[in-house]
Amino acid sequence: MFEDVIKRLEGLGFTVTDEWVLNFCIDKVTNHIKNNCNVSEVPQGLHEVAVDLVCGEYLQGKFNAGQLGDYSQAISKIKEGDTDITFVSGTSDVELLKTLINTLCSRNLDFAAYRRFKW
């Protein structure tokens, strides 16, 4: 899962700077899924969900610690001569980052198909 998380974060425009923190997030998310589904291993069908949850946990921790630096990962405005093209209007880079993190962290509904009763 470690390599998949790194690739996903790179695809989102972020670089992993602390592998220990990333491994902690992987363990945290893995245990969360196993406890919520009452299984001993993360089901294969939840692998992509787990990767997104780990990315969300990692980015949330870095954001809260003020360690993400420049938030502008995407182009929001292009000016060519007297023409302006705005892709995202009225939304700051910080708000876009918070939206991305919330989207990555809100995947718990996918657990329903894999839950087992605890006896």
Side-chain angles (χ1 to χ4, degrees):
M1 180 184 298
F2 184 81
E3 292 299 321
D4 290 340
V5 172
I6 288 181
K7 288 178 185 176
R8 177 75 165 132
L9 286 168
E10 287 174 354
L12 295 170
F14 297 95
T15 303
V16 175
T17 57
D18 191 349
E19 290 185 11
W20 184 90
V21 173
L22 185 60
N23 282 319
F24 179 83
C25 292
I26 289 171
D27 291 342
K28 180 178 178 181
V29 167
T30 301
N31 287 330
H32 176 72
I33 291 172
K34 291 191 294 189
N35 289 335
N36 275 301
C37 295
N38 192 30
V39 293
S40 59
E41 297 293 324
V42 174
Q44 183 60 34
L46 291 178
H47 179 76
E48 292 81 11
V49 172
V51 169
D52 276 356
L53 288 171
V54 170
C55 291
E57 284 286 330
Y58 181 80
L59 293 175
Q60 183 69 52
K62 291 293 186 178
F63 178 78
N64 289 343
Q67 297 176 351
L68 284 182
D70 183 18
Y71 301 125
S72 57
Q73 300 295 323
I75 297 173
S76 60
K77 185 176 183 179
I78 297 175
K79 182 172 182 168
E80 185 71 31
D82 61 347
T83 304
D84 284 335
I85 299 173
T86 303
F87 296 107
V88 181
S89 62
T91 306
S92 71
D93 292 336
V94 174
E95 290 170 344
L96 289 173
L97 180 61
K98 286 180 182 179
T99 301
L100 171 65
I101 292 171
N102 288 336
T103 301
L104 291 171
C105 290
S106 63
R107 302 289 307 269
N108 290 343
L109 293 176
D110 295 320
F111 296 173
Y114 297 95
R115 284 197 174 112
R116 295 188 180 176
F117 288 110
K118 196 171 198 176
W119 298 101

